[in-house]
Amino acid sequence: LGTQMRDIPGYVVKLPTGEFAVYSRICPHLGCVFNFVPNPDDVAKGYNYRPDGPVFACPCHLSVFDIQQEGKVVSGPAPRPPSKFVYKIEGDQLVISDLESGGVA
């Protein structure tokens, strides 16, 4: 893991399927750092959108990303899903090796 990769904030979320969602926390709209919001009621109150489950949500311009649909933009101005980290499972550890092509934001 290079020095530059260590400086990129990210989230690892285990999905109900057992798969992992491993994303940069940098919003692709204007580069704000978004949050993991597990409670749909909190999203409905603060982001003008009611999801079916946990989402990533950006407090700057209210973009909401559906974690269970490959980070799909479901609300707000973000032009695309956030960038995914490339990872593999080694034993009992999740190891991040890169960020998908296209840059951080």
Side-chain angles (χ1 to χ4, degrees):
L1 188 63
T3 303
Q4 190 175 19
M5 290 296 297
R6 284 185 225 164
D7 294 336
I8 301 171
Y11 272 120
V12 175
V13 177
K14 189 170 185 180
L15 302 173
T17 61
E19 303 273 330
F20 292 96
V22 187
Y23 288 90
S24 160
R25 286 185 65 196
I26 307 299
C27 182
H29 177 232
L30 291 175
C32 293
V33 176
F34 60 76
N35 300 309
F36 172 67
V37 185
N39 186 334
D41 291 335
D42 292 340
V43 179
K45 290 176 197 170
Y47 295 89
N48 302 317
Y49 177 79
R50 175 172 276 293
D52 293 330
V55 294
F56 294 139
C58 186
C60 294
H61 302 102
L62 307 183
S63 290
V64 178
F65 308 96
D66 189 324
I67 300 166
Q68 296 188 71
Q69 293 187 52
E70 297 288 318
K72 177 182 177 183
V73 180
V74 291
S75 183
R80 62 177 175 75
S83 296
K84 290 182 182 180
F85 283 108
V86 176
Y87 72 94
K88 60 184 171 181
I89 304 297
E90 293 181 356
D92 61 353
Q93 293 188 345
L94 185 143
V95 179
I96 294 171
S97 59
D98 204 353
L99 187 64
E100 71 180 354
S101 61
V104 174

